Amino acid sequence: ALQLSKDVMHCRDLMASENKPLFAFSKMLSEEQQYAIWSLFGVCHALSHSKTIGDLATSRCHLRRVFNADLPPLETSSQGSVSVWSALQATMRRYNVIRRPCEDMSGGIVALSQRGVAKFETTDELLLHQYRAAGVFGLIALPVLAENSAVDAEVVEAAVALGMAMGLTDTLNCLGHHR
């Protein structure tokens, strides 16, 4: 069973302060699912809030090492502690977290950092950004949310749509705060 460790509590506190709508949603889940969702959010937060390309590279190394148990864990990064990565490891012992959406998210962050400003010329560009920034969270969370369900194409599409809707909601929430 997934435990409420200091690493998971760190992720919970991140979500509670950084994404109130998602945190409110997480309260509807079972205790163990909450711990997992908080941990997954912590990892996504570490990736998306990298201050430099070096920080992002370090986070991507952490991610690769968590998914490859043969590699030794990394030491503390400039973003704070390795607690989000420890929380992810604990979550992965309980749930089958999918690697590819995590990589898609980090790839999207790299693309955005190379681009500079989050300015979109077309709706397709905005939606691709939302997939990479938030839709992937729906896929990352899918093993936790649909643990005992059959995962078919419709469920996967719904998970991506849920993640993108949460991301767009958060974007609109941020816009309202910056007026």
Side-chain angles (χ1 to χ4, degrees):
L2 192 54
Q3 302 294 313
L4 182 61
S5 66
K6 67 177 179 56
D7 299 324
V8 173
M9 287 189 296
H10 170 75
C11 295
R12 176 201 62 202
D13 295 345
L14 271 175
M15 183 188 278
S17 67
E18 298 291 326
N19 194 321
K20 291 174 181 27
L22 185 56
F23 185 70
F25 165 77
S26 75
K27 297 291 201 147
M28 295 186 282
L29 302 173
S30 72
E31 195 171 87
E32 194 172 45
Q33 287 174 312
Q34 286 179 37
Y35 301 165
I37 293 298
W38 296 338
S39 299
L40 296 172
F41 176 84
V43 168
C44 292
H45 184 273
L47 288 167
S48 67
H49 285 76
S50 298
K51 293 184 183 2
T52 67
I53 295 295
D55 287 344
L56 180 57
T58 299
S59 289
R60 292 176 89 183
C61 284
H62 279 291
L63 187 64
R64 281 191 294 277
R65 289 173 186 259
V66 168
F67 277 99
N68 187 346
D70 296 334
L71 297 173
L74 291 174
E75 297 301 319
T76 301
S77 72
S78 61
Q79 297 169 342
S81 69
V82 294
S83 63
V84 298
W85 308 106
S86 298
L88 176 59
Q89 284 179 319
T91 298
M92 289 175 60
R93 286 191 287 275
R94 172 64 180 86
Y95 296 100
N96 295 319
V97 178
I98 307 165
R99 180 180 186 159
R100 178 62 190 261
C102 298
E103 291 171 346
D104 286 350
M105 180 181 201
S106 66
I109 294 164
V110 168
L112 186 61
S113 69
Q114 292 170 343
R115 193 171 183 197
V117 179
K119 181 179 175 186
F120 310 102
E121 299 292 327
T122 67
T123 303
D124 286 345
E125 287 179 8
L126 171 65
L127 293 175
L128 178 59
H129 169 74
Q130 280 301 322
Y131 165 73
R132 288 176 164 172
V136 293
F137 189 76
L139 290 177
I140 292 167
L142 188 58
V144 175
L145 300 176
E147 179 183 19
N148 296 320
S149 302
V151 177
D152 60 20
E154 287 182 16
V155 173
V156 170
E157 287 177 19
V160 172
L162 174 63
M164 289 175 69
M166 291 176 142
L168 287 168
T169 301
D170 189 51
T171 299
L172 292 172
N173 186 39
C174 290
L175 290 173
H177 287 283
H178 297 298
R179 288 187 136 200

